[in-house]
């Protein structure tokens, strides 16, 4: 009886007295840290832990626990307020089973920074796209009010978690996770991982002349199942949905070999603004599909990616398009090839980009690589193009075609996004842009110059085109001589465009206008200052009609009338004048004065009776019919002043 009483006292002491004594002490904390660390291959630091047996079931409460990678001490997760009640007899036979378990909060370090570090380390990214040490790179997945169940047998742990979640991509969500983990092999089999929530962001849009902001909420979901182990990862089933978009993916990694696939089968997206931030409304895609496959090459270690994007039709920034297709290949993030085409603005556009390995002076291949590009367009409706800029002049009409070629440093996709200014500053190339049957006067107007939505490069280019086409017809000499209602007709313009070190110039322009063919050579600076030499070859129809005019006859060469003009000043305030040297101007003045003098002399010599010049000879001593010399000099000065104005 005494022995039984002593045993009862010892049991009571163990059951009620010992747990409070070892709570928050290394006696309890260190074994828990070692057990969790060995089981999941991590290092954990527990700040507070308490054991109680007062409820009749062993209960462990952990208030604060940090989890780190064992090999690098990288932070993985923070766990707060864990309360787990265990089945006693399972503990006695060496296994673990919870009767109930709750976790107030789990914060898991989102993998963005680690993935970025891995991609940089493997050379998959040529340039960093984020600062891994910044606060913005430290995003967390937060799981709250989690209910869990744990069961272990022979070193294999089965875990189920359900609760609320909050992540950088979704809020007010729910998650569910079920996995098993082998402590000996460190192999984890994820049977089910699902997250569903709402993505919320502010959408900024321009409606007419108003800038509007509105909150957008889009449902988000993600699901995955697969296996992970040291040196091995296989998730064949990944699904995701973001608003109207959905797709599937798979990833497999064995040592250094990685295979990744992403598939978004044909689908309609009624509003792109529900997926990403846009500044324009009515952005839609019909028949959108995207397929990507990436795999590391075993010999070189390059991550080779091939992608295809197709869209049957859609509307982007109020621009309708159809039958768009893009194909590309990447080596790591370096673009090797890119081909794209689409029907847009009632015409067709094509883009081709090809990687080109550089060569040194001795012809030996170098490490420098460039990207050779070609952009072409055919029969684009000019009014439709202007409609995209919300500019619809009454009369522009016509079509636009172009063929541009260029080369630029192939610094990789990451570099293109992070160093865009440097990229454009290294671009070299040129080509031709053609306007057919277009009314270009609008581009020389104040309305065009003051258009806030037009990029400066486009604005200056089209304004310059209008000035060059109208330069010859703006010369007073031609305005006085050629007067024809049919001159208000469309033009055809071809400009040679060149860009060097990020500066775009138009050194050559050819145009067919109602006045005739225009040829121009010169330069327009970035601030809009212009200097061009223009030659107008009078149209044959006008040549037949006005070519015998004494003034135009002065510019006849090889049976054609060619009028030289100089265009200077600025695009906004151009100055047009005849392109003649001082000697040429003086000679031209003398020739024109001879014509005028002969004309006046012929009419003066008619006499009062109206007889033709030379009908009778003047009688000696008779008063001369010629005006006084001082009057002739005054008349000559006035005529020369008028001639200079014409020139």
């Amino acid at each position: 009886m005494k022995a039984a009483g002593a045993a009862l006292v010892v049991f009571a002491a163990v059951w009620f007295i010992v747990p409070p004594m070892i709570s928050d002490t290394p006696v309890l904390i260190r074994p828990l840290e070692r057990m969790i660390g060995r089981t999941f291959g991590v290092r954990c630091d527990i700040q507070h832990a308490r054991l109680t047996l007062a409820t009749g079931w062993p209960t462990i409460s952990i208030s604060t626990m940090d989890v780190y990678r064992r090999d690098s001490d990288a932070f993985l997760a923070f766990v707060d307020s864990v309360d787990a009640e265990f089945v006693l007899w399972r503990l006695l036979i060496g296994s673990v089973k919870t009767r109930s378990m709750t976790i107030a909060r789990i914060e898991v370090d989102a993998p963005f920074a680690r993935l970025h570090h891995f991609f940089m380390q493997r050379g998959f990214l040529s340039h960093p796209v984020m600062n891994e040490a910044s606060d913005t790179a430290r995003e967390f997945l937060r799981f709250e009010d989690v209910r869990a169940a744990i069961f272990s047998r022979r070193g294999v742990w089965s875990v189920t978690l359900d609760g609320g979640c909050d992540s950088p991509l979704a809020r007010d969500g729910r998650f569910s996770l079920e996995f098993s983990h082998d402590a000996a092999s460190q192999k984890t089999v994820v049977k089910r991982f699902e997250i569903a929530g709402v993505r919320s962001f502010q959408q900024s849009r321009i409606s007419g002349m108003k800038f509007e902001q509105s909150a957008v909420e889009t449902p988000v979901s993600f699901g995955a199942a697969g296996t992970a182990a040291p040196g091995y990862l296989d998730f064949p089933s990944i699904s995701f949905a973001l608003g109207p978009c959905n797709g599937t993916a798979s990833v497999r990694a064995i040592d250094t070999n990685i295979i990744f696939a992403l598939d978004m089968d044909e689908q309609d997206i009624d509003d792109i603004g529900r997926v990403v931030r846009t500044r324009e409304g009515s952005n839609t895609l019909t028949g959108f599909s995207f397929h990507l496959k990436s795999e590391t090459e075993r010999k070189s270690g390059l991550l080779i990616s091939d992608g295809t994007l197709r869209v049957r039709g859609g509307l982007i920034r109020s621009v309708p398009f159809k039958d768009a297709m893009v194909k590309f290949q990447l080596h790591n993030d370096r673009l090797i090839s890119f081909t794209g085409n689409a029907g847009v603005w009632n015409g067709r556009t094509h883009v081709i980009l090809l990687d080109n390995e550089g060569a040194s002076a001795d012809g030996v291949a170098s490490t420098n690589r460039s990207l050779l590009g070609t952009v072409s367009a055919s029969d684009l409706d000019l009014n439709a193009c202007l409609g995209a800029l919300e500019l619809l002049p009454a009369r522009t009409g016509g079509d636009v075609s172009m063929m541009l070629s260029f080369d630029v440093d192939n610094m990789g996709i990451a570099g293109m996004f992070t160093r865009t200014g440097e990229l454009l500053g290294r671009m070299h190339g040129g080509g031709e842009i053609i306007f057919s049957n277009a009314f270009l006067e609008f581009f020389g107007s104040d309305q065009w110059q003051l258009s806030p939505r037009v990029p400066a490069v486009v604005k200056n280019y089209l304004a310059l085109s209008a000035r060059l086409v109208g330069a010859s017809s703006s010369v007073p000499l031609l305005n006085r001589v050629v007067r024809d209602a049919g001159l208000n007709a469309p033009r055809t313009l071809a400009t040679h465009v060149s860009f060097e070190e990020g500066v775009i110039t138009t050194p050559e322009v050819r145009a067919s206008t109602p006045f005739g063919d225009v040829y121009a050579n010169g330069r327009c600076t970035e601030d809009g200052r212009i200097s061009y030499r223009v030659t107008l070859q009078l149209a044959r129809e006008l040549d037949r009609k006005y070519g015998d005019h004494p003034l135009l006859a002065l510019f006849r060469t090889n049976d054609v009338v060619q009028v030289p003009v100089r265009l200077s000043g600025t695009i906004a305030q151009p100055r047009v004048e005849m392109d003649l040297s001082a000697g040429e101007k003086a000679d031209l003045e003398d020739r024109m004065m001879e014509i005028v003098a002969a004309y006046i002399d012929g009419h003066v010599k008619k006499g009062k009776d109206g007889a033709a010049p030379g009908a009778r000879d003047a009688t000696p001593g008779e008063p001369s019919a010629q005006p006084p010399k001082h009057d002739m000099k005054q008349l000559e000065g006035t005529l020369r002043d008028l001639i200079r104005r014409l020139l």
Side-chain angles (χ1 to χ4, degrees), residues 84-298:
E85 193 176 78
F86 298 90
V87 177
L88 180 59
W89 69 270
R90 284 286 183 181
L91 295 176
L92 297 177
I93 64 174
S95 67
V96 175
K97 183 179 181 180
T98 57
R99 291 185 71 249
S100 66
M101 184 174 181
T102 60
I103 306 173
R105 181 168 52 126
I106 304 174
E107 291 188 358
V108 179
D109 193 12
F112 305 138
R114 291 201 301 275
L115 283 174
H116 183 266
H117 180 77
F118 172 76
F119 274 56
M120 289 295 299
Q121 191 177 41
R122 290 290 301 273
F124 296 159
L125 288 177
S126 56
H127 298 82
V129 296
M130 63 184 299
N131 182 2
E132 298 175 10
S134 67
D135 293 336
T136 55
R138 297 294 305 276
E139 298 283 359
F140 292 93
L141 301 176
R142 293 178 174 84
F143 304 99
E144 299 173 335
D145 300 326
V146 179
R147 294 187 177 276
I150 297 177
F151 174 73
S152 73
R153 184 178 182 183
R154 297 177 182 176
V156 178
W157 295 67
S158 298
V159 181
T160 302
L161 302 170
D162 292 279
C165 71
D166 189 11
S167 71
L169 297 179
R171 62 173 181 79
D172 299 333
R174 302 290 300 175
F175 87 100
S176 178
L177 172 62
E178 182 180 356
F179 68 93
S180 62
H181 179 77
D182 190 323
S185 64
Q186 292 296 303
K187 178 181 178 180
T188 301
V189 178
V190 178
K191 300 177 182 178
R192 172 174 51 88
F193 178 46
E194 298 173 349
I195 292 181
V198 176
R199 181 170 182 254
S200 178
F201 58 92
Q202 288 291 322
Q203 188 70 275
S204 301
R205 290 181 176 177
I206 299 176
S207 177
M209 299 299 291
K210 295 182 179 180
F211 182 79
E212 301 176 347
Q213 281 192 323
S214 60
V216 178
E217 292 189 346
T218 301
V220 179
S221 63
F222 176 83
T227 304
Y232 177 81
L233 181 73
D234 185 17
F235 275 74
S237 177
I238 301 174
S239 63
F240 61 90
L242 176 58
C245 296
N246 62 82
T248 60
S250 63
V251 60
R252 187 178 186 186
I254 303 175
D255 295 328
T256 59
N257 185 42
I258 299 174
I259 302 174
F260 173 78
L262 173 66
D263 296 287
M264 300 179 68
D265 294 328
E266 189 170 298
Q267 54 197 274
D268 297 338
I269 303 175
D270 57 359
D271 186 1
I272 299 177
R274 294 175 56 200
V275 182
V276 295
R277 290 184 175 91
T278 62
R279 287 191 174 272
E280 304 291 336
S282 303
N283 294 306
T284 63
L285 298 177
T286 302
F288 168 82
S289 64
F290 179 68
H291 302 278
L292 174 69
K293 183 176 182 180
S294 303
E295 183 173 359
T296 51
E297 190 179 55
R298 292 184 181 275

Side-chain angles (χ1 to χ4, degrees), residues 3 42 48 67 118 120 150 159 196 219 367 389 393 427 432 445 494 557:
V42 296
H48 303 282
V67 183
F118 172 76
M120 289 295 299
I150 297 177
V159 181
T367 57
L389 300 172
M427 185 177 292
E432 191 171 60
S445 67
T557 304

Side-chain angles (χ1 to χ4, degrees), residues 67 80 94 98 133 169 185 288 302 368 408 439 474 481 571 638:
V67 183
D80 187 30
T98 57
L169 297 179
S185 64
F288 168 82
L302 291 173
N368 295 325
V408 67
F439 292 89
S474 299
V481 176
I571 292 178
T638 302

Side-chain angles (χ1 to χ4, degrees), residues 403-609:
M403 176 65 74
L404 303 175
S405 300
F406 61 89
D407 68 270
V408 67
D409 287 355
N410 194 355
M411 59 177 61
I413 299 298
M416 292 180 184
F417 281 104
T418 58
R419 301 162 64 185
T420 304
E422 181 181 345
L423 178 74
L424 295 177
R426 297 182 180 181
M427 185 177 292
H428 304 268
E432 191 171 60
I433 301 176
I434 300 174
F435 293 92
S436 303
N437 301 318
F439 292 89
L440 301 175
E441 288 85 351
F442 170 75
F443 303 116
S445 67
D446 292 338
Q447 181 184 355
W448 174 256
Q449 288 294 325
L450 298 175
S451 302
R453 294 176 60 85
V454 184
V457 172
V458 177
K459 184 185 298 183
N460 287 342
Y461 167 73
L462 291 176
L464 174 64
S465 300
R467 299 302 190 194
L468 290 174
V469 169
S472 296
S473 59
S474 299
V475 176
L477 173 66
L478 292 176
N479 281 329
R480 297 295 189 276
V481 176
V482 180
R483 300 176 181 272
D484 199 313
L487 295 179
N488 187 20
R491 277 84 165 146
T492 296
L493 174 75
T495 58
H496 175 71
V497 178
S498 176
F499 28 91
E500 299 289 335
E501 305 296 338
V503 178
I504 300 177
T505 59
T506 51
E508 298 177 14
V509 177
R510 306 187 314 277
S512 176
T513 76
F515 267 97
D517 294 331
V518 176
Y519 304 90
N521 291 273
R523 180 177 178 81
C524 176
T525 63
E526 289 184 88
D527 58 358
R529 301 197 65 81
I530 53 179
S531 177
Y532 281 87
R533 305 188 73 173
V534 184
T535 300
L536 170 67
Q537 183 173 306
L538 198 65
R540 289 187 177 276
E541 181 180 350
L542 297 180
D543 195 346
R544 287 193 297 267
K545 193 172 182 179
Y546 301 102
D548 292 335
H549 192 284
L551 295 180
L552 292 182
L554 297 176
F555 298 96
R556 183 174 296 280
T557 304
N558 297 328
D559 201 32
V560 294
V561 175
Q562 292 184 334
V563 181
V565 178
R566 180 177 292 278
L567 183 66
S568 58
T570 65
I571 292 178
Q573 295 181 327
R575 185 170 61 253
V576 182
E577 56 187 348
M578 298 291 294
D579 188 14
L580 301 172
S581 65
E584 290 172 332
K585 283 185 177 182
D587 182 56
L588 188 59
E589 287 179 18
D590 291 341
R591 291 171 61 189
M592 293 178 70
M593 283 300 303
E594 291 175 2
I595 295 173
V596 173
Y599 178 81
I600 294 175
D601 186 61
H603 280 71
V604 169
K605 286 182 178 180
K606 286 182 180 179
K608 294 182 179 180
D609 57 357

Side-chain angles (χ1 to χ4, degrees), residues 59-97:
T59 302
I60 294 179
S61 298
I62 299 175
S63 61
T64 304
M65 180 172 66
D66 294 321
V67 183
Y68 304 88
R69 288 179 61 94
R70 179 177 291 178
D71 54 355
S72 63
D73 286 337
F75 177 79
L76 295 177
F78 166 78
V79 183
D80 187 30
S81 299
V82 180
D83 290 303
E85 193 176 78
F86 298 90
V87 177
L88 180 59
W89 69 270
R90 284 286 183 181
L91 295 176
L92 297 177
I93 64 174
S95 67
V96 175
K97 183 179 181 180

